[in-house]
Amino acid sequence: MGDTQAIIAATFLLLGVGFLVANGRLAVEYARFVRRRRGALLTWRAPKPPYYVMQLAIGVALGAILLFNVVRMYRIYRGVQLDWRLFGQLMMFLYYAYLFPLSRTIARGFYAEGIWAESAFIPYHEIGGITWREGEHEVALIVTSRLRNLARRLVVPGAQYAAARRLLRDKIAHHDIHFGGGGLDLAGHDERQDV
């Protein structure tokens, strides 16, 4: 029985550390959003991901399990002791019940300093290329970074599509976004036409 308890405790410790890292990333991302939201130019809420309600239900279930285990431990030991199982459960609870739903409130779109895509914030000076992908049910802006070999996607609601194109043209006209630096430098090329 002791080996089983040790394996369970080690598993929860590993899960706790993994979720601690995930929680830290979400907390930093939200703090960056709070700092940048005053400079919002054109933003919207991202659509809820698939299985969003199930993820919230997992958070509620983890909260009930955590509460049960804390009460049980308090009755047995007359106080709550450090237990890696509780640490793992607490980190998972914080992720599913608090930080993940909080991260869904981050508005996607255009800010004074850059573009908040689906998975990351890209400052205007890092943008190396922009293209639009028009699908059957959505329009997406694909932004490539000049510093890293990455492309980020931003789904733009139909109601904001025209305003997003105008805003990008203005940012290019004010030289906040510049695509030059590679290939032929054609003096007569207007980068605003690329948007």
Side-chain angles (χ1 to χ4, degrees):
M1 202 64 149
D3 289 340
T4 305
Q5 292 299 322
I7 290 171
I8 291 171
T11 301
F12 273 105
L13 173 62
L14 186 64
L15 283 170
V17 169
F19 275 94
L20 178 64
V21 170
N23 290 342
R25 291 183 69 201
L26 289 179
V28 167
E29 184 177 314
Y30 189 76
R32 288 179 180 157
F33 165 68
V34 168
R35 193 183 73 224
R36 289 187 173 118
R37 70 179 164 193
R38 279 182 253 119
L41 303 175
L42 177 66
T43 61
W44 53 88
R45 288 272 173 103
K48 290 181 181 166
Y51 309 112
Y52 181 71
V53 173
M54 185 176 77
Q55 290 174 329
L56 293 180
I58 290 171
V60 169
L62 284 167
I65 291 170
L66 183 64
L67 181 63
F68 172 78
N69 285 332
V70 167
V71 168
R72 184 176 63 90
M73 184 175 281
Y74 186 78
R75 286 186 179 164
I76 292 172
Y77 300 111
R78 298 287 181 228
V80 178
Q81 296 180 347
L82 179 63
D83 187 339
W84 295 119
R85 291 173 291 186
L86 289 180
F87 170 70
Q89 291 169 9
L90 177 64
M91 291 299 107
M92 290 187 290
F93 170 73
L94 287 175
Y95 178 84
Y96 284 109
Y98 185 67
L99 290 168
F100 178 73
L102 186 65
S103 73
R104 300 309 310 156
T105 64
I106 296 174
R108 305 299 191 240
F110 301 90
Y111 290 80
E113 300 172 7
I115 298 173
W116 205 300
E118 303 300 319
S119 59
F121 183 82
I122 305 142
Y124 291 121
H125 68 273
E126 285 186 19
I127 295 175
I130 291 175
T131 188
W132 291 97
R133 297 282 184 242
E134 297 182 17
E136 201 171 303
H137 301 290
E138 66 182 23
V139 176
L141 175 67
I142 309 299
V143 182
T144 57
S145 172
R146 76 173 63 248
L147 303 179
R148 289 173 244 144
N149 202 9
L150 292 174
R152 304 289 185 182
R153 183 173 180 260
L154 174 65
V155 176
V156 178
Q160 271 78 11
Y161 179 62
R165 288 182 72 96
R166 277 191 306 274
L167 197 143
L168 284 171
R169 285 188 184 114
D170 290 345
K171 288 292 181 186
I172 292 168
H174 290 107
H175 302 290
D176 293 332
I177 300 173
H178 182 65
F179 301 134
L184 296 173
D185 186 15
L186 303 175
H189 180 70
D190 187 358
E191 291 175 339
R192 290 174 292 181
Q193 300 304 317
D194 294 339
V195 179

